[in-house]
Amino acid sequence: MNAIHEFSSLSFWKTLGKRIQESDLTGFAAQLAYFFLLSLFPLLIFLVTLLSYLPFTVTDVLDTVRNYAPGQTMDTVEETLTEVMTNRNGGLLSFGIIATIWTASNGMNAVIKSLNRAYEVSEERPFYIQRGLSVLLTIGMILVFIIALLLPVFGKQIGNVLDGFFGFFSAL
């Protein structure tokens, strides 16, 4: 019994290694990491530009950043944040969100390609449908992240609003 278990276990690992090589798993993982890391920079542009539209003062933001930024870079960060927060720029805000969604959709496109390769499916959809699907999946992923970040903080308040509106918990 033990010899059969060792044989099947060895066979499993050999088959797994072969499948990883055939589907170029590490190459697609590198693409995915690259595109999602690349999308962080436009996201930072968007978030920093968004700060000027929120009810925060430059001093509030700088005090928060000062806790995390290295001392040598704080002068540059302070200058940049002061300039961005005093001069609202809707064009930069739009560029930031569009560039973030586009670069993150490249990562989602890599997910689609890697799953197609892993399941040995050939891509039949035209480019514009494939790209549109990647953008929609990216927007969905962003919404899921936002919900995942908001629920632990505002879950009780959201539950109370839903209960008042729909009466979910009234029957209990």
Side-chain angles (χ1 to χ4, degrees):
M1 175 86 172
N2 196 14
I4 293 173
H5 181 69
E6 286 180 24
F7 177 73
S8 63
S9 177
L10 182 63
S11 173
F12 168 77
W13 290 111
K14 283 183 177 181
T15 305
L16 180 66
K18 182 180 173 189
R19 290 287 305 212
I20 287 173
Q21 267 186 329
E22 288 174 354
S23 62
D24 193 26
L25 184 70
T26 56
F28 282 115
Q31 281 183 13
L32 194 63
Y34 173 77
F35 285 127
F36 283 135
L37 183 65
L38 182 66
S39 69
L40 286 179
F41 297 108
L43 177 65
L44 286 174
I45 291 171
F46 169 73
L47 291 176
V48 169
T49 308
L50 183 65
L51 284 175
S52 66
Y53 294 94
L54 298 174
F56 299 121
T57 64
V58 176
T59 309
D60 293 338
V61 174
L62 288 176
D63 287 342
T64 303
V65 171
R66 195 169 281 117
N67 294 332
Y68 302 102
Q72 302 86 354
T73 62
M74 195 56 206
D75 292 336
T76 306
V77 169
E78 185 174 348
E79 180 182 316
T80 304
L81 280 176
T82 303
E83 181 182 338
V84 168
M85 289 190 68
T86 55
N87 304 322
R88 288 184 174 182
N89 189 345
L92 191 58
L93 189 67
S94 299
F95 168 78
I97 192 67
I98 289 170
T100 300
I101 289 173
W102 185 259
T103 54
S105 73
N106 284 334
M108 200 55 73
N109 201 27
V111 169
I112 291 170
K113 286 181 180 180
S114 63
L115 288 173
N116 284 344
R117 174 84 60 91
Y119 288 107
E120 298 173 354
V121 175
S122 62
E123 184 62 61
E124 302 287 330
R125 296 175 285 220
F127 170 77
Y128 59 89
I129 291 182
Q130 185 178 1
R131 178 54 77 174
L133 181 63
S134 296
V135 169
L136 287 175
L137 288 172
T138 301
I139 292 170
M141 181 181 66
I142 290 170
L143 291 175
V144 167
F145 283 157
I146 290 171
I147 290 169
L149 291 172
L150 290 179
L151 277 181
V153 178
F154 299 109
K156 186 174 183 179
Q157 291 86 351
I158 293 170
N160 289 337
V161 169
L162 291 175
D163 181 41
F165 192 68
F166 294 112
F168 284 140
F169 304 112
S170 299
L172 296 177

